[in-house]
Amino acid sequence: MPQQKDIVKIAIQMPGAYPQLIQLDQKKPLTAVIKDVSDKWSLPGPENYALQYADGIQTYITESGRCAEDLYKGIQSSDADVRCDSLKSLADVSTDITFAQEFISRDGHSLLVKIVEDAHEAPMIMTHTLTAFMELMDHGIVSWENLSSVFTKKIASFVNAKALDTSIQQVSLAILESMVLSSSSLFAEVKQEVTLERLLSHLQVTNQQLQTKAMALLMAMLQAGGEADRQELFEFLEKRSLRQYIHKNIIHSSSSVGDEMAHYLYVLQTVRLNHLEPRMRTPLDSYSQEQRDMLHGLRQAAFETESESGLSNERRRSLCAKDNPGQDLSRCPPGLLALDTMAYFASRYPDAYSRFVLENSSREDKHECPFARSSIQLTLILCEILRIGEPPSETGSDYHPIFFAQDRLLEELFCICIQLLNKTWKEMRATQEDFDKVMQVVREQITRTLSSKPTSLELFKNKVNALNYSEILKLRQTERLHQEETLAPPVLELKERLKPELLELIRQQRLNRLCHGTLFRKISSRRRQDKIWYCRLSPNHKVLHYGDVEDEKETPSIEALQEKIPVADIKNVVTGKDCPHMKENKGKQTKEMLDLAFSITYDVEEYSLNFIASSKVDLCVWTDGLNVLLGKDMSSESMRSELEILLSMEIKLRLLDLENVPIPDSAPAVPKPPSNYNFCYDFSQAEQ
């Protein structure tokens, strides 16, 4: 008797019949299991059946011999419909390696190669043939190098054809990509057969799948070839404006860029930018006449413009001596790349270059922004942000749309960012000691702007300049609050739940203050002899008692206050210039009096009790308290401030136990209820 763990229940479905949940004994051979299943449906000839496992995405053949034999015969049928169905099924089941081994052992892949080489079949049959062939080859059972040159030429002809079914072209491009990546000899063969002009034309179509497969083949050819092949291909692509094609037909297309295409754009960007790596790794050679000439040209352009600079010869010589980047350029990275970016800026934007250097030369020494040192550090920052020198990863997809809109991206970004650096230096009122702080801010400005994926240099320039130092400080503050988790969605939800409780606490405090009472002064033309009066709320919150007092140091009892107003008679609370006593004394009122004045109207509109609070705090306490008595919301500045303080303290107390535990943005999914509750203890029966 087999153990229970060897018995499994599996849902099995046969075409044309209802699925059944059948118990299978895993210790039995597969043929015996298939016989047991066949017996359930009373099927004769169990050897004619096989089991397939479907997980919703792929189908796995668990018994492959019979299936492989049937499909092998089916694709050779004289009936086109049978061939089409067999090839379609073959394309579906070839993902299973066990089936693929069975089919290839019958030399089935050679049948597919022959169908392709003959190229007599209808487009649909050819698509299924190519798909099945690709799936079989993906298992690595058969080497790509075993294929004939006739097959390669035929696949290339499908790609080169101007009018052909796009499904055939997509699979053909995928096959050529695999061939290119498999060996250098096949790369050379594919390079010879594929028309690059036609390959570029596939990037200009609206069919995203075709675009992606064409891009995949291009990237495979770039990565598989040697340095000479790569350079030759790049020169061809530059002449044919590949980047413009991508910018217009892919990045700015009506549909979004897919994940696979994003990866290929990232690869192209990485490979192209890595052409700058040799210069980045090469230090300055003080014996190189060419490099000395470049440095001399930079100094001359900056300091030796006699008519414009207004600098004395002595001042120019001292600046030339001080701004000597030779030592810094020996650092690798950025090496000679920093010299290239400085020279590019000086030649491409001579006015901006001169303005930068001369503006800083007129400042105090400690406030001067050093051009050479800043340029070298900025070039290094750009190299790190653009990841120059890093090989493309297999999963990377972080490309910059701006790369495909601009020649010499690094140099153009440098020209914008060196001027940004000077602007940020002034905004920060930086000195030489603040150099590293300024560079951190500039790095942040560049990184944040590039992360917004600007599609043009002009857009980048506008965004990065709008992101000034004060904006960076605001963003840092917001992010710090996020990191403290005070803005996390669950914390915000907790705040909302705590608000009613804390608002009630503030209401009670306001009413308690009113019950204690407050001293007020009356308005008089003889200010030094102003009379004082006291107002307080009864403990049951039903009556306001008030009256004149002689001694402001003593708190009068309710009985000593002769006047009273029932709270039920109060109609409204008004403040500032809306108060009756402010309207009556327009000539005597000051801004301070206006800010501290409030009144309550009662019984009928013409009766009012007028107040001048001694401080802003008293004003807020009384207006809030009176609004609470009238059943209205509190609205004072003090209330809002106190509520924030209380909320912040309460949140921190509640989160003490969660220190260093990340709070998710959304609640975890509630698990499904169990199928039964047999595990629950039944308390209904009294224990014996």
Side-chain angles (χ1 to χ4, degrees):
M1 183 75 182
Q3 295 181 12
Q4 195 66 32
K5 66 179 182 180
D6 296 322
I7 304 294
V8 293
K9 288 186 177 182
I10 295 180
I12 298 178
Q13 181 174 13
M14 190 188 78
Y18 289 109
Q20 294 186 29
L21 192 64
I22 298 176
Q23 286 191 351
L24 300 183
D25 183 356
Q26 296 182 84
K27 288 203 166 183
K28 286 186 178 181
L30 185 60
T31 51
V33 171
I34 292 173
K35 183 177 186 308
D36 289 345
V37 174
S38 300
D39 292 343
K40 294 284 183 184
W41 276 293
S42 304
L43 298 172
E47 67 278 0
N48 295 322
Y49 296 93
L51 287 176
Q52 292 182 167
Y53 165 61
D55 65 359
I57 301 171
Q58 293 177 303
T59 301
Y60 304 93
I61 308 298
T62 55
E63 197 285 311
S64 308
R66 182 75 187 193
C67 186
E69 186 64 34
D70 290 345
L71 292 177
Y72 182 78
K73 290 177 181 176
I75 62 178
Q76 298 179 77
S77 172
S78 57
D79 188 326
D81 290 338
V82 173
R83 287 202 307 279
C84 186
D85 291 342
S86 299
L87 286 163
K88 185 177 185 301
S89 298
L90 180 62
D92 291 335
V93 299
S94 291
T95 54
D96 179 66
I97 189 167
T98 308
F99 171 83
Q101 288 168 336
E102 287 284 348
F103 190 77
I104 290 172
S105 68
R106 290 166 169 74
D107 207 26
H109 64 289
S110 297
L111 282 178
L112 303 181
V113 169
K114 190 172 187 311
I115 292 172
V116 173
E117 289 178 349
D118 292 344
H120 296 318
E121 294 289 7
M124 186 178 291
I125 294 179
M126 186 59 73
T127 300
H128 294 323
T129 303
L130 292 170
T131 305
F133 174 80
M134 186 68 191
E135 294 292 352
L136 289 171
M137 294 299 289
D138 271 352
H139 297 296
I141 302 168
V142 179
S143 170
W144 286 95
E145 295 192 61
N146 291 345
L147 299 169
S148 67
S149 59
V150 176
F151 178 83
T152 306
K153 287 178 180 177
K154 187 58 69 174
I155 296 293
S157 72
F158 292 157
V159 171
N160 295 335
K162 290 188 177 179
L164 191 67
D165 187 272
T166 54
S167 298
I168 294 177
Q169 290 188 319
Q170 284 174 42
V171 189
S172 298
L173 285 163
I175 291 172
L176 291 178
E177 180 196 359
S178 296
M179 293 174 76
V180 162
L181 295 173
S182 65
S183 75
S184 55
S185 59
L186 281 174
F187 163 75
E189 200 172 332
V190 171
K191 182 186 170 188
Q192 184 178 347
E193 296 298 332
V194 172
T195 308
L196 289 174
E197 291 281 6
R198 186 67 189 135
L199 203 53
L200 287 180
S201 70
H202 289 316
L203 294 176
Q204 300 173 61
V205 298
T206 54
N207 186 320
Q208 270 196 319
Q209 288 81 13
L210 192 58
Q211 278 184 336
T212 303
K213 295 302 178 189
M215 195 70 179
L217 178 55
L218 267 177
M219 292 307 99
M221 293 175 75
L222 271 176
Q223 291 179 280
E227 188 56 41
D229 293 317
R230 193 177 294 124
Q231 192 58 40
E232 181 187 342
L233 186 54
F234 264 128
E235 287 174 5
F236 171 82
L237 295 175
E238 286 296 324
K239 285 179 185 175
R240 298 298 186 276
S241 304
L242 171 67
R243 284 186 301 97
Q244 285 89 326
Y245 285 151
I246 292 171
H247 197 251
K248 179 182 176 183
N249 298 295
I250 297 175
I251 292 173
H252 281 295
S253 68
S254 55
S255 52
S256 60
V257 176
D259 292 342
E260 193 178 352
M261 178 60 84
H263 170 69
Y264 296 131
L265 295 179
Y266 153 80
V267 170
L268 177 59
Q269 171 189 291
T270 305
V271 173
R272 196 71 188 105
L273 285 173
N274 280 351
H275 276 232
L276 299 169
E277 185 182 4
R279 295 288 284 181
M280 186 182 77
R281 305 284 182 200
T282 307
L284 180 76
D285 180 4
S286 57
Y287 296 102
S288 167
Q289 185 61 45
E290 180 191 356
Q291 293 171 25
R292 287 206 303 270
D293 289 346
M294 287 177 73
L295 283 172
H296 179 69
L298 284 170
R299 293 193 191 99
Q300 190 173 31
F303 300 123
E304 296 183 10
T305 310
E306 296 286 344
S307 59
E308 295 178 10
S309 69
L311 297 172
S312 66
N313 289 332
E314 291 77 12
R315 176 64 172 156
R316 279 198 298 273
R317 279 195 293 272
S318 69
L319 288 170
C320 288
K322 183 170 64 175
D323 201 74
N324 184 5
Q327 187 174 355
D328 288 332
L329 286 169
S330 61
R331 288 168 49 205
C332 292
L336 290 178
L337 197 55
L339 183 59
D340 295 342
T341 54
M342 285 190 283
Y344 183 87
F345 179 46
S347 61
R348 183 89 167 80
Y349 304 99
D351 292 343
Y353 171 63
S354 296
R355 189 162 53 248
F356 183 110
V357 179
L358 295 174
E359 179 187 329
N360 282 287
S361 66
S362 63
R363 294 180 189 162
E364 293 178 43
D365 284 350
K366 69 173 185 177
H367 285 289
E368 179 190 345
C369 178
F371 174 73
R373 185 184 174 198
S374 300
S375 298
I376 292 165
Q377 190 62 27
L378 177 60
T379 305
L380 177 61
I381 287 171
L382 288 171
C383 286
E384 290 171 354
I385 291 172
L386 297 175
R387 298 180 178 179
I388 295 172
E390 291 184 23
S393 73
E394 293 183 5
T395 56
S397 59
D398 186 20
Y399 71 94
H400 298 295
I402 193 174
F403 170 80
F404 301 95
Q406 185 60 51
D407 285 324
R408 304 193 70 169
L409 177 66
L410 177 78
E411 291 89 339
E412 289 292 344
L413 284 180
F414 174 87
C415 293
I416 293 171
C417 295
I418 192 67
Q419 296 174 78
L420 169 76
L421 190 152
N422 191 39
K423 173 172 165 280
T424 303
W425 185 281
K426 289 186 285 186
E427 288 170 354
M428 293 176 69
R429 296 185 177 87
T431 63
Q432 296 289 333
E433 289 76 20
D434 300 321
F435 181 82
D436 290 338
K437 291 180 184 176
V438 176
M439 298 313 297
Q440 285 173 4
V441 173
V442 170
R443 178 193 285 271
E444 198 170 333
Q445 289 170 315
I446 299 168
T447 306
R448 287 180 184 276
T449 305
L450 284 176
S451 67
S452 69
K453 303 293 183 186
T455 52
S456 70
L457 204 63
E458 192 62 31
L459 202 55
F460 172 84
K461 184 177 180 180
N462 293 337
K463 284 188 174 185
V464 82
N465 279 294
L467 195 62
N468 54 34
Y469 179 54
S470 60
E471 286 295 315
I472 289 289
L473 290 179
K474 287 178 189 174
L475 289 167
R476 285 178 176 177
Q477 173 70 7
T478 305
E479 286 167 4
R480 186 180 64 78
L481 291 172
H482 271 290
Q483 286 169 358
E484 291 176 357
E485 292 169 338
T486 55
L487 296 180
V491 177
L492 292 176
E493 186 180 342
L494 178 60
K495 272 189 175 183
E496 290 302 315
R497 292 192 180 191
L498 291 172
K499 266 186 185 179
E501 179 186 337
L502 297 177
L503 280 170
E504 182 58 33
L505 186 66
I506 295 172
R507 285 191 198 98
Q508 291 304 319
Q509 186 268 345
R510 296 297 194 254
L511 292 174
N512 289 341
R513 283 287 303 274
L514 263 61
C515 288
H516 182 269
T518 307
L519 195 70
F520 296 97
R521 293 190 178 275
K522 289 186 177 180
I523 302 173
S524 170
S525 56
R526 295 174 296 168
R527 296 195 174 183
R528 292 188 179 179
Q529 298 173 7
D530 282 352
K531 291 185 177 180
I532 54 175
W533 61 287
Y534 207 86
C535 186
R536 64 188 299 177
L537 179 67
S538 63
N540 63 5
H541 302 167
K542 291 188 176 180
V543 181
L544 274 177
H545 297 268
Y546 66 97
D548 294 343
V549 293
E550 298 296 329
D551 188 357
E552 61 182 85
K553 292 182 181 178
E554 290 185 10
T555 302
S557 63
I558 286 182
E559 293 76 17
L561 301 173
Q562 300 299 315
E563 306 291 334
K564 61 182 180 180
I565 303 171
V567 170
D569 291 345
I570 297 174
K571 303 300 180 186
N572 199 11
V573 179
V574 291
T575 59
K577 61 184 179 182
D578 295 328
C579 298
H581 57 314
M582 291 296 104
K583 292 177 181 176
E584 292 167 6
N585 298 279
K586 283 187 179 179
K588 300 175 184 177
Q589 68 189 21
T590 63
K591 185 178 185 305
E592 184 183 4
M593 288 172 63
L594 271 175
D595 290 342
L596 297 175
F598 67 98
S599 301
I600 54 176
T601 58
Y602 59 96
D603 201 22
V604 287
E605 288 297 326
E606 56 265 23
Y607 292 97
S608 64
L609 184 61
N610 302 316
F611 300 77
I612 299 288
S614 59
S615 67
K616 196 77 174 175
V617 174
D618 281 349
L619 173 75
C620 293
V621 166
W622 273 86
T623 52
D624 283 342
L626 291 167
N627 279 324
V628 170
L629 291 172
L630 295 175
K632 297 180 180 179
D633 291 334
M634 298 179 291
S635 58
S636 72
E637 292 176 16
S638 290
M639 182 278 298
R640 287 192 289 270
S641 172
E642 289 166 23
L643 180 62
E644 271 307 311
I645 292 169
L646 289 170
L647 276 172
S648 177
M649 291 172 64
E650 189 67 25
I651 288 291
K652 285 177 180 176
L653 287 170
R654 299 283 183 108
L655 298 181
L656 273 178
D657 293 336
L658 293 176
E659 191 172 356
N660 298 324
V661 176
I663 298 175
D665 285 349
S666 56
V670 178
K672 293 180 180 179
S675 56
N676 62 66
Y677 294 89
N678 296 341
F679 53 85
C680 293
Y681 185 80
D682 188 0
F683 287 98
S684 61
Q685 297 179 3
E687 294 185 5
Q688 298 296 327

